[in-house]
Amino acid sequence: MKKSLATVAGVILITLSGSVFAGEAEEVGQKIYERAFGRGCGSCHDIASNPQLSALIKDGKLDRATFEKVLKEGKGGMPKAIETIMALVPVTKAGYGEDQAVDALYAYLKSK
Ligand code: HEC
């Protein structure tokens, strides 16, 4: 009996910590979106004529690999963004590497 209670508690704990981590990443992602380049990605991407990142990701039209490639190399009017992202305080504070930062931003846009 005691043993099964401990198992249940363990499962609940793991479930909770999983969602806390997901929430933290999305929070960092949101800060990146709002702060990159000083005015945030939205200063360009919240304008209807530019790619609507959140909708593209949700519709499956912008995969994680393409997303990362554009951030690292730029594309047309889209400036290279990875350096400005990695220099942001929320990213350095979380101790994120490039993969984690891109993951966080992608997860935020997917949830937005
Ligand atoms: C100065 C304006 C500007 C800023 C700031 C900006 N973007 Fe862009 N972005 C663009 C433009 C314009 C395009 C379209 C480029 C093209 O297709 O030629 C684009 C394209 C993209 C694409 C490719 C979309 C696709 O479907 O191919 C991604 C991904 C992207 N931006 C992500 C971001 C992220 C993330 C940020 C913030 C870190 C950001 N952008 C900040 C202007 C901007």
Side-chain angles (χ1 to χ4, degrees):
M1 182 62 192
K2 256 199 177 149
K3 202 174 170 191
S4 61
L5 259 178
T7 308
V8 169
V11 169
I12 291 173
L13 240 147
I14 290 164
T15 311
L16 278 176
S17 60
S19 61
V20 167
F21 286 136
E24 185 199 83
E26 280 166 25
E27 214 173 278
V28 173
Q30 178 174 9
K31 285 177 183 159
I32 295 171
Y33 190 79
E34 289 170 356
R35 298 182 193 176
F37 300 107
R39 288 167 304 155
C41 312
S43 62
C44 293
H45 285 282
D46 291 346
I47 297 168
S49 54
N50 284 331
Q52 300 299 296
L53 302 174
S54 185
L56 285 170
I57 290 171
K58 282 182 195 159
D59 293 347
K61 291 179 186 150
L62 178 58
D63 62 35
R64 169 72 174 70
T66 308
F67 185 72
E68 179 173 348
K69 188 169 191 283
V70 173
L71 294 183
K72 291 190 171 166
E73 297 172 8
K75 179 185 177 189
M78 168 67 206
K80 244 193 195 177
I82 196 71
E83 282 91 3
T84 178
I85 289 171
M86 295 314 292
L88 290 171
V89 172
V91 174
T92 57
K93 233 174 143 180
Y96 282 180
E98 288 186 0
D99 268 358
Q100 285 169 300
V102 174
D103 275 346
L105 184 53
Y106 196 78
Y108 164 65
L109 288 167
K110 204 170 185 171
S111 74
K112 195 168 152 275

